[in-house]
Amino acid sequence: MLHVPRLPPVLRVPRVLPVPRVLRSLRTSAVFVVLGFSCTPLATKQGSPAVGSALPAFDLVQPALFGAPGAQPTAWADFDGDGDLDLFVGFRGRPNRLYRNDAGTFTDVAASAGVADSIETRAAAWGDFDADGLVDLYVGFTPASPVPNKLYRNQGRGRFVDVAAAVGVADKGTTRQPAFVDFDRDGDLDLFVAFRDRPNALYRQDAGRFTDVAPQLGIADPRKTVGVAWFDWQQDGDLDAFVANQDGDANGFFVQANGRFTDMADALGLSARGRGAAEGSVGTAVTDYDNDGDLDLYVANYGPDWLLRNDGDRFTNVAAAVGLALDDHSVSAAWGDLDHDGWPDLYVVNFLGTERDTRDHLFLQRQGRFEDATPTVMIRDGGSHGINAVDVDRDGDLDLLVANNHATGTHHLFRNTMAAARARQSIAVTVLDANGRATQAGSEVRVFRAGTRDLLGTRLVDTGGGYDSQGVTPVHVATGAADRVDIEVTYLTSAGRSLVRVADVRVSGFTDRSVVVRAQAR
């Protein structure tokens, strides 16, 4: 068995910013006035948002279509603007696929869309880089590729064209996690790309052109990077990046201040420096697992996995205490409240090159403790790389997509069969900029019981995960018996953390669509 050195029980660094921890340095929207910020985490309350809990059950969706082997990154977005989430899947051993979703029925349109590359694809990210209202697609290959990585601009009407060379991102390398993020808060999307065989790149966008500024900003990590998680750990308005490195390399945690990055992984105890060459960190997944209002980090490792609880000025590895310290070969993970009991659950994908179905784990959370409740169908047809939790059929509950890159694997889509009444006890929130564009990766969404500070959930607008992929999807929060909620979205703007509040939203009015929240114009 491979081992990663365990983190000390408490990882301390000097306090960076004063309390209160949640929403420090907040600028309140001029339209929605919020007097202060406080919340009552449901972990301190009796019970949870949903009454009772049941083991989730799943059905396969179009198993013949999703039965092709060799799948690796999987990324969801509504590329055609019809309200349904569509799916891009990168493969080895066959052309990539783009599944158009038409009211729950999927069709592969990659060839007609112009994105059916037959080169081994290891990374994929959706993002509206040109802010035209159509999500674009970045695709990363291996060094053996005869062509550089591609950036497909969405032309509309189901067609894409590669503009990577024209805009300055046509680089080659062993590509892993890409992420469209506005790291400099200037209003346009930049692009981070992790490489396993060369320093990582941070392409700053300036009026439609990209320049790699990673070396001068201190984030050109030369180690073997596989996964990255971007989130505002310090809550100072800047995105920070945890970098998961493999083959015995130490991890990095690049904290941003004044436009530059400093690696604080050693100071925070997150580097795992000195581990063996067969050990390493792989995938990352971010959510507020304990419902206390800040974002926590799960790291899938070759060796014991980590659950890093965010304690404001430090992280505490609580994986062993809560039942998540798998000592395995974990590759990727995805959070989602799959049973609507008010607590985020976790699906962990494992991989061994000699096995088709290395045992995956679906961990259901029971108010701070996790129990393995993996359905038999997922043990039989598990993943090895990709994993996503999204509401594919817009019925209110989260479905699962797993990708297995074994020569006889699958990339099955599992539909959650939760009872309809319980499935509708949830809210989906789509976060857009002031112009209605999907350019706000890294924003934070908090949902409260209406008229109270009872926190139902905190979620991050996707900045990457699920194995080297990034989607453009709504965030999902179970609401339990609360039919009315208040929604607060924290944007990271040039003026710092800015809050938009939408009060008294009727949950039952959004049973098959998301609440759209826009930033306020400056």
Side-chain angles (χ1 to χ4, degrees):
M1 187 64 66
L2 303 175
H3 291 276
V4 173
R6 296 186 186 276
L7 298 176
V10 178
L11 311 168
R12 298 182 182 273
V13 293
R15 183 171 292 278
V16 179
L17 291 175
V19 293
R21 288 171 43 232
V22 180
L23 295 187
R24 304 185 193 100
S25 307
L26 178 69
R27 175 178 176 181
T28 304
S29 163
V31 175
F32 300 100
V33 178
V34 181
L35 300 177
F37 182 95
S38 63
C39 66
T40 305
L42 286 170
T44 67
K45 293 184 169 293
Q46 297 297 317
S48 53
V51 177
S53 59
L55 295 178
F58 298 86
D59 284 341
L60 285 171
V61 175
Q62 295 177 251
L65 181 67
F66 292 105
Q72 300 184 125
T74 54
W76 294 86
D78 180 10
F79 83 86
D80 55 0
D82 67 350
D84 294 318
L85 288 175
D86 311 297
L87 172 65
F88 176 84
V89 182
F91 285 88
R92 66 176 182 182
R94 68 184 58 250
N96 295 334
R97 294 185 176 185
L98 177 60
Y99 294 108
R100 188 186 64 217
N101 181 359
D102 297 300
T105 299
F106 289 85
T107 305
D108 178 17
V109 297
S112 61
V115 297
D117 294 293
S118 57
I119 307 160
E120 179 176 350
T121 299
R122 299 303 298 246
W126 292 99
D128 187 2
F129 85 91
D130 53 2
D132 65 350
L134 300 171
V135 289
D136 311 297
L137 178 65
Y138 178 87
V139 179
F141 305 123
T142 68
S145 168
V147 298
N149 295 343
K150 296 184 177 183
L151 176 55
Y152 285 108
R153 174 178 278 144
N154 190 339
Q155 302 288 91
R157 299 185 179 181
R159 291 290 302 172
F160 293 80
V161 60
D162 177 24
V163 297
V167 301
V169 296
D171 285 339
K172 295 185 69 172
T174 305
T175 310
R176 291 298 189 263
Q177 180 67 63
F180 285 103
V181 292
D182 182 9
F183 84 93
D184 54 0
R185 301 180 300 168
D186 67 348
D188 56 24
L189 281 176
D190 312 296
L191 176 64
F192 177 89
V193 181
F195 291 99
R196 207 171 181 273
D197 62 344
R198 48 165 285 191
N200 298 330
L202 179 58
Y203 301 101
R204 185 188 65 211
Q205 183 180 175
D206 298 291
R209 290 283 304 176
F210 290 89
T211 305
D212 184 8
V213 296
Q216 56 262 46
L217 298 187
I219 197 171
D221 195 331
R223 296 168 292 194
K224 296 178 177 63
T225 302
V226 180
V228 183
W230 287 87
F231 62 111
D232 184 10
W233 164 60
Q234 294 177 300
Q235 297 186 351
D236 61 354
D238 290 319
L239 284 173
D240 311 303
F242 174 85
V243 175
N245 294 325
Q246 243 185 13
D247 292 359
D249 281 350
N251 295 326
F253 192 29
F254 292 90
V255 176
Q256 185 179 180
N258 300 316
R260 292 190 57 81
F261 294 86
T262 301
D263 185 1
M264 293 181 62
D266 282 328
L268 287 167
L270 304 180
S271 66
R273 191 173 298 280
R275 56 189 169 184
E279 302 167 347
S281 298
V282 190
T284 61
V286 177
T287 201
D288 176 17
Y289 89 93
D290 52 359
N291 285 344
D292 68 349
D294 56 23
L295 294 167
D296 312 294
L297 173 64
Y298 181 86
V299 183
N301 289 319
Y302 287 177
D305 295 339
W306 303 342
L307 176 58
L308 303 175
R309 188 183 66 207
N310 185 347
D311 292 325
D313 56 0
R314 66 184 187 268
F315 289 95
T316 305
N317 182 19
V318 298
V322 303
L324 288 179
L326 284 175
D327 191 354
D328 213 333
H329 226 238
S330 301
V331 171
S332 53
W335 292 101
D337 188 350
L338 297 167
D339 55 3
H340 281 192
D341 69 346
W343 300 88
D345 310 302
L346 184 69
Y347 192 102
V348 181
V349 171
N350 290 280
F351 165 74
L352 287 174
T354 58
E355 297 180 6
R356 176 186 184 272
D357 290 306
T358 307
R359 174 75 150 82
D360 290 351
H361 298 271
L362 173 55
F363 291 105
L364 297 182
Q365 184 180 178
R366 301 303 186 214
Q367 300 188 27
R369 290 284 306 176
F370 290 83
E371 302 172 358
D372 189 350
T374 313
T376 302
V377 66
M378 292 174 183
I379 295 175
R380 185 185 67 242
D381 290 306
S384 67
H385 283 68
I387 171 66
N388 310 116
V390 294
D391 184 4
V392 172
D393 49 5
R394 296 194 294 177
D395 64 349
D397 56 27
L398 292 174
D399 311 295
L400 289 172
L401 186 284
V402 300
N404 191 319
N405 74 350
H406 193 273
T408 59
T410 66
H411 56 291
H412 279 324
L413 176 59
F414 295 98
R415 183 180 66 88
N416 194 330
T417 60
M418 183 183 298
R422 190 180 181 90
R424 289 193 292 269
Q425 293 179 325
S426 66
I427 199 80
V429 181
T430 296
V431 177
L432 303 176
D433 63 20
N435 297 316
R437 309 309 193 200
T439 62
Q440 300 301 305
S443 296
E444 302 160 11
V445 178
R446 292 176 177 83
V447 178
F448 300 86
R449 201 181 309 273
T452 76
R453 302 309 290 170
D454 292 347
L455 182 65
L456 302 178
T458 304
R459 302 291 184 263
L460 180 73
V461 178
D462 187 20
T463 61
Y467 189 73
D468 297 347
S469 61
Q470 180 187 21
V472 176
T473 61
V475 304
H476 169 275
V477 176
T479 56
D483 185 50
R484 293 184 178 274
V485 297
D486 298 333
I487 299 170
E488 296 182 357
V489 177
T490 302
Y491 291 85
L492 308 183
T493 73
S494 59
R497 291 169 65 87
S498 179
L499 185 70
V500 170
R501 183 171 187 261
V502 183
D504 201 26
V505 176
R506 186 167 59 89
V507 174
S508 57
F510 291 89
T511 56
D512 63 349
R513 58 196 174 96
S514 64
V515 178
V516 176
V517 180
R518 293 192 181 193
Q520 298 304 305
R522 301 294 174 190

